[in-house]
Amino acid sequence: MRQIIGPIALAIACSLGGAAYAANTADTLYRNARVYTADAANTEARAVAVKGDSIVYVGDEAGAARWRGPSTQVVDLGGKLVLPGLIDAHVHALGVVQPDVCDLKSQSMSLPAMVDFLRACLDERPLPAGEWMVVPQWNFSQGNEPDERYSTLRAALDAVSTTHPIMLQGNDGHHGAANSLALSRARGPDGKAIGYSGKTLAKEFKDIRELVAVDANGEPSGGITEGAKGRLGAPGFFGTADFSAVAPKAAKVFREQGITAILDAAVDPSQLVFWRGLEDHGEMTFRMRAALIRRFDDPSARPTQSQIPAVVRQFTAAREQMERESKLIRADHVKIFVDGVLEGNPYADPPTLPNGAVLKPYLQPRFAGTPGGADFHVSGYVDPADPACADAPAARKDHASTERFRAAHGFDPAQCLQSSGVLEQSEEYLHAYESAMARAGFAVHTHAIGDRAVRVAVDMLEEAKRLNPGMQHSMAHAQLVHPDDQKRIGAAGLGVVFTHAWTVVNPPYDLSVIPFFERVEGTDLYGDSYYMRNVYPTATIARLGGIVASGSDAPVEDRNPRPFLNLEQALTRANPDPAIPGVLNASERLDIHQAIASYTINAARILGMEKEIGSIEAGKKADLIVVDQDILDLAARGEARRISDTRVLRVVFGGREVLARD
């Protein structure tokens, strides 16, 4: 009997009935499909058999038929494409749900239009006197054009209210804007409110002065980034929402987008209880890896270097609790912010520089024309070596001196300054934190944007790999990567999570970045340059051996994770609006197989789950999706721009169908 194989063995087993028969039949059989497995060979199949929460067969129709029994549910998919459940390797899960608050929803608005919008919000949602008005999803990089009434963000927000402190939360999670009352509440090193001003930025806040935008007089102009926001004491989204109600809505968002696993990229241990509650109620239809973090938004509340061991103990306790209590949640990653972001403000006077950490100092562009108009352009650059700049420090001492300098030289003395941005913490601190977490068994996941920050992150992740080789260490974003560091990422096999929706030509956004890196002539932003050759180097990193994965970073820019838009733009690197021409660094386009891998098996590697999920293979968890159009066929026909229109028709999670629609 032991030599009998194939259909004969199955027939004998069937004749025995009972347990022997049940052991050789599937609970569900999905057939008549194009099954893209995302395995090592990109194998395709026609059918998948599922038993319990696992895949037991992947192959042709004849083989699948052997798994069919009298109680097997057979689902004819009519030739539709089946993919592994998608994995978002960098998302902020509690932010994907639209809150019931005044929300700018990433709309591009001039400052006058924003004033009208926010005044209407206050009328519709009146606040008690003195209470904070916190408005999320402010589009910091598009719109915000000033006029003669509102020359700065501060002036615009003061026009909205002088009795409520106002904080606009940038849709990137890094930028913000504040009115005068909010700026007056900035807490100094001793915790007392002394406010941001030209004087305090030169003294008490000199360590973060590059994070506070200033006007021609050196006074705060309303723009505020990174840890400088936390000094104001404004309530954040994570301090006000009822997450027991948010969590089920977040699960619905992921389900409808075909996302069956995530790396939540910034989780305070206290937030894990909301996901545990969701799991206990049977409503959690995704697997979660949590990247733990503590108080990244307020530098005064961050753990000091001597407190790192206590944070390790706290995180270890959270990890062990999830291992004991949860089947779907693991808290085995940590998040580290290495730097900020690369966007400046060309409409400010003087232009506000970016603050992301870069290898060479930012340029000091000058702009002319109507803000937001077709004639707005780079009119020249200030050279810090200009002899006039020798007088700049004295010229910045008071308003009259500044005005005399501007009248004599045609530019603001602040533009004589050189800046290479800032790291969120000292390199010593970053390495101490990373090494302590790696030794404790955590996977390290870093935010790194500028090329200097990426270099520091590679140093950290190489060290983490030496200390903890059993985990996959990774960085997110990598907007600008020096060629030497692209090679290092590949050689070390590090993971890089890209948000492909950003890897596109976007003139209003690019105006806030490229002129600060490269000398731009007029309105032509896209000439050959170091920035254009090394911006989001996805294909090169993949070719060199790095693990390229996808993450939406939602709610950054958009609360919707938009996986199929990200897949499309991984291939096209072109703006989804056909009226906007051009391709951003065309040599870095991925092919369709690389793009799907970035959302499946490669993302599973980032999560440390490649043995369980990420491909459709026997023995792995039965996490599958069925979509309404064949994205491989679209790519092959040169119709990649249609990929973003894809709808998810079915979601199977752990063998259970959790979404089915026409």
Side-chain angles (χ1 to χ4, degrees), residues 43 136 175 214 217 231 280 293 295 342 382 385 410 428 464 594:
T43 305
H175 284 83
V214 296
N217 301 316
R231 298 278 189 178
D280 286 344
I293 195 167
R295 294 312 304 268
L342 293 187
V382 174
E428 179 187 8
Q594 292 173 311

Side-chain angles (χ1 to χ4, degrees), residues 21 29 93 118 131 137 145 171 205 305 312 329 336 346 359 396 406 418 436 442 450 629 647:
Y21 181 76
L29 181 61
L118 295 176
E131 187 168 315
Q137 297 300 91
E145 299 91 351
N171 63 356
F205 296 118
Q305 195 160 328
V312 170
I329 306 166
I336 304 175
L359 293 171
R396 298 191 72 206
R406 288 168 67 100
Q418 287 191 305
F442 289 95
Q629 58 178 352
R647 292 180 68 248

Side-chain angles (χ1 to χ4, degrees), residues 610-623:
E610 67 272 24
K611 294 181 180 178
E612 304 167 63
I613 61 174
S615 60
I616 301 175
E617 299 181 79
K620 289 193 171 184
K621 297 296 184 185
D623 296 354

Side-chain angles (χ1 to χ4, degrees), residues 10 15 33 71 78 107 252 308 315 399 442 493 542 587 630-631 644:
L10 180 62
S15 70
S71 60
Q107 298 174 78
K252 182 174 184 288
I308 290 174
F315 287 3
H399 177 65
F442 289 95
S587 63
D630 190 328
I631 63 174
S644 57

Side-chain angles (χ1 to χ4, degrees), residues 317-333:
R319 180 181 63 194
E320 292 175 349
Q321 182 181 9
M322 291 303 101
E323 289 171 350
R324 290 192 307 270
E325 298 180 359
S326 176
K327 293 181 179 179
L328 300 178
I329 306 166
R330 290 292 178 270
D332 55 4
H333 287 59

Side-chain angles (χ1 to χ4, degrees), residues 377-419:
H377 64 283
V378 177
S379 60
Y381 285 83
V382 174
D383 182 358
D386 187 316
C389 284
D391 299 326
R396 298 191 72 206
K397 288 183 178 179
D398 56 60
H399 177 65
S401 298
T402 297
E403 288 305 302
R404 283 195 296 271
F405 185 98
R406 288 168 67 100
H409 304 293
F411 59 88
D412 193 281
Q415 290 202 273
C416 289
L417 301 178
Q418 287 191 305
S419 171

Side-chain angles (χ1 to χ4, degrees), residues 91-359:
V91 66
H92 305 282
L94 293 172
V96 303
V97 177
Q98 175 66 50
D100 185 21
V101 298
C102 180
D103 191 323
L104 286 162
K105 297 183 180 179
S106 295
Q107 298 174 78
S108 175
M109 295 183 185
S110 67
L111 293 187
M114 185 189 300
V115 169
D116 292 342
F117 178 89
L118 295 176
R119 283 174 174 169
C121 281
L122 267 180
D123 289 342
E124 295 169 7
R125 301 171 183 267
L127 297 169
E131 187 168 315
W132 277 94
M133 181 183 188
V134 179
V135 185
Q137 297 300 91
W138 166 51
N139 191 333
F140 67 94
S141 65
Q142 297 185 42
N144 305 298
E145 299 91 351
D147 70 358
E148 64 279 359
R149 291 171 296 167
Y150 313 122
S151 60
T152 65
L153 286 162
R154 179 177 183 172
L157 297 181
D158 283 348
V160 176
S161 178
T162 57
T163 59
H164 296 288
I166 299 175
M167 169 68 83
L168 306 186
Q169 296 176 328
N171 63 356
D172 64 339
H174 297 269
H175 284 83
N179 67 350
S180 293
L181 185 55
L183 292 167
S184 73
R185 297 191 174 188
R187 302 186 303 271
D190 61 359
K192 294 181 180 178
I194 58 174
Y196 289 130
S197 67
K199 290 182 179 179
T200 60
L201 289 174
K203 188 177 179 182
E204 290 90 348
F205 296 118
K206 63 182 179 181
D207 59 326
I208 59 171
R209 62 185 174 186
E210 293 188 64
L211 305 180
V212 181
V214 296
D215 61 19
N217 301 316
E219 292 298 321
S221 58
I224 186 169
T225 58
E226 308 302 336
K229 294 187 300 178
R231 298 278 189 178
L232 303 185
F237 178 70
F238 291 114
T240 59
D242 176 10
F243 289 128
S244 60
V246 170
K249 296 177 182 177
K252 182 174 184 288
V253 170
F254 292 135
R255 203 161 48 241
E256 291 180 345
Q257 297 296 323
I259 296 168
T260 57
I262 67 169
L263 174 65
D264 193 323
V267 179
D268 187 280
S270 64
Q271 296 166 5
L272 292 169
V273 64
F274 301 114
W275 303 117
R276 283 289 298 113
L278 189 71
E279 182 180 11
D280 286 344
H281 285 89
E283 298 179 83
M284 192 166 184
T285 51
F286 59 93
R287 307 176 198 279
M288 175 178 173
R289 292 293 184 266
L292 300 176
I293 195 167
R294 200 175 85 174
R295 294 312 304 268
F296 68 91
D297 57 337
D298 184 352
S300 65
R302 289 172 181 161
T304 63
Q305 195 160 328
S306 64
Q307 293 171 331
I308 290 174
V311 180
V312 170
R313 290 192 293 272
Q314 179 192 20
F315 287 3
T316 300
R319 180 181 63 194
E320 292 175 349
Q321 182 181 9
M322 291 303 101
E323 289 171 350
R324 290 192 307 270
E325 298 180 359
S326 176
K327 293 181 179 179
L328 300 178
I329 306 166
R330 290 292 178 270
D332 55 4
H333 287 59
V334 294
K335 174 68 171 293
I336 304 175
F337 280 90
V338 180
D339 73 338
V341 286
L342 293 187
E343 301 85 19
N345 184 356
Y347 300 141
D349 182 21
T352 304
L353 293 179
N355 62 61
V358 291
L359 293 171

